[in-house]
Amino acid sequence: MDTRQTIINLLRSTGRKGIENVISLLENSNFFTVGSHSHHRYVGGTADHALETLMLARRHGRGIDDNSLIITSLLHDICNIHGYRDIDGHGGRSARILKDVCHLELTTDECNAIRYHMWKRHKRPVRSKLELAVFDADKKSAKMHSIYR
């Protein structure tokens, strides 16, 4: 199974209200072909990074609801479909796309994990287990493929 189908199947497995809207947006955008800005800079890089983030988050996210890990890990960089306008705000843009465009039901914790997955930039002092799992996995995945290594 390819990355595209794996991501779609994982998202669909959550059964979350609004997930079909997310899948439709992904399929009708460049999410599966766009690269990232400083890591995974190749065709399909954003999708590969999303899946890798999930695999890493699952390793360190024991005790966290798997549906929450799937949604936050796979979709934390969904704003890449429109490209980065400013790095500091991309987590917030991703959360807004999911909530306002796709009408995906997100818990407060899931919304925060997406919004603050670059929490050091936001100096967020209190973080949930989910936020930490996504943050850590995102950074590890990015570092493995960074142009700045």
Side-chain angles (χ1 to χ4, degrees):
M1 188 176 331
D2 67 356
T3 299
R4 178 189 161 280
Q5 196 58 53
T6 299
I7 288 173
I8 290 169
N9 289 348
L10 284 163
L11 290 171
R12 197 166 273 143
S13 75
T14 67
R16 187 69 61 91
K17 183 178 179 185
I19 204 69
E20 291 301 324
N21 296 334
V22 174
I23 293 168
S24 178
L25 179 66
L26 296 178
E27 289 185 310
N28 291 298
S29 73
N30 62 351
F31 181 83
F32 295 108
T33 58
V34 72
S36 192
H37 72 290
S38 64
H39 58 86
H40 295 82
R41 292 180 69 164
Y42 54 86
V43 173
T46 294
D48 284 351
H49 169 61
L51 195 54
E52 189 171 73
T53 299
L54 173 60
M55 298 307 130
L56 291 166
R58 278 178 162 169
R59 284 189 211 158
H60 302 289
R62 290 184 190 95
I64 299 171
D65 179 68
D66 196 49
N67 288 338
S68 290
L69 285 173
I70 289 169
I71 288 167
T72 57
S73 296
L74 294 180
L75 302 174
H76 72 279
D77 282 337
I78 194 171
C79 71
N80 277 350
I81 63 173
H82 301 297
Y84 282 89
R85 284 179 233 130
D86 59 72
I87 293 173
D88 288 332
H90 86 269
R93 276 196 306 281
S94 290
R96 283 191 305 275
I97 289 168
L98 294 170
K99 289 176 73 174
D100 299 341
V101 175
C102 298
H103 307 290
L104 180 65
E105 282 191 358
L106 293 172
T107 67
T108 299
D109 196 21
E110 291 165 350
C111 189
N112 286 339
I114 293 166
R115 182 178 288 135
Y116 301 115
H117 72 272
M118 295 181 71
W119 62 267
K120 283 189 177 181
R121 294 179 185 268
H122 299 281
K123 299 179 179 148
R124 186 164 170 82
V126 179
R127 296 166 304 277
S128 70
K129 288 181 183 181
L130 179 61
E131 283 184 59
L132 289 171
V134 174
F135 168 81
D136 189 49
D138 175 51
K139 296 304 146 234
K140 284 180 181 171
S141 173
K143 187 175 182 180
M144 289 190 291
H145 299 274
S146 176
I147 61 171
Y148 303 113
R149 286 191 282 158

